[in-house]
């Protein structure tokens, strides 16, 4: 028996890798209530087919969601939403830019 998720993310154009935009679309729909905690996400192959992207792209997006604690896989079943995303800022350690903690004005100030 195949259970299909009734939800598909709408990813927009823009900068950044497609897998990050897919993950962002899922988080955005979760925060707007379009997806509820405990919801089943589409199978990776189905989502890749629906979005016209490679399977590896969806795998990376689901991995990013898992890393952020938004979704969790259940072995042999599917990927499920775990909770609403936290409103805190997340510092990505795999991106080579400093976090935006200090403004230019603060950096120019001589103590």
């Amino acid at each position: 028996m195949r259970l299909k998720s009734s939800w598909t993310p709408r990813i927009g154009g823009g900068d950044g890798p497609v897998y990050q935009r897919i993950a962002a679309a899922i988080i955005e729909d979760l925060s707007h209530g379009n997806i509820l905690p405990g919801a089943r996400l589409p199978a990776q192959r189905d989502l890749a087919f629906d979005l016209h992207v490679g399977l590896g792209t969806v795998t990376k997006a689901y991995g990013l969601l898992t890393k952020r604690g938004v979704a969790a896989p259940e072995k042999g079943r599917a990927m499920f939403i775990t909770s609403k995303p936290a409103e805190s800022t997340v510092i990505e350690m795999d991106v080579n830019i400093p976090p935006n903690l200090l403004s230019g004005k603060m950096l120019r100030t001589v103590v």
Side-chain angles (χ1 to χ4, degrees), residues 11-25 64 68 95 97:
I11 60 170
D15 296 335
V18 176
Y19 78 94
Q20 289 179 346
R21 294 190 321 214
I22 293 170
L64 185 59
R68 291 185 178 174
V95 179
I97 57 172

Side-chain angles (χ1 to χ4, degrees), residues 44-98:
Q44 293 181 18
R45 291 183 194 277
D46 292 341
L47 187 58
F49 180 80
D50 291 343
L51 297 177
H52 306 290
V53 300
L55 178 60
T57 302
V58 176
T59 301
K60 284 178 82 172
Y62 280 13
L64 185 59
L65 292 170
T66 301
K67 186 171 100 174
R68 291 185 178 174
V70 175
E74 288 189 19
K75 188 170 180 142
R77 293 191 64 211
M79 177 75 73
F80 292 90
I81 296 294
T82 56
S83 63
K84 279 198 168 273
E87 295 296 326
S88 65
T89 54
V90 176
I91 298 175
E92 292 289 338
M93 300 303 286
D94 57 350
V95 179
N96 193 18
I97 57 172

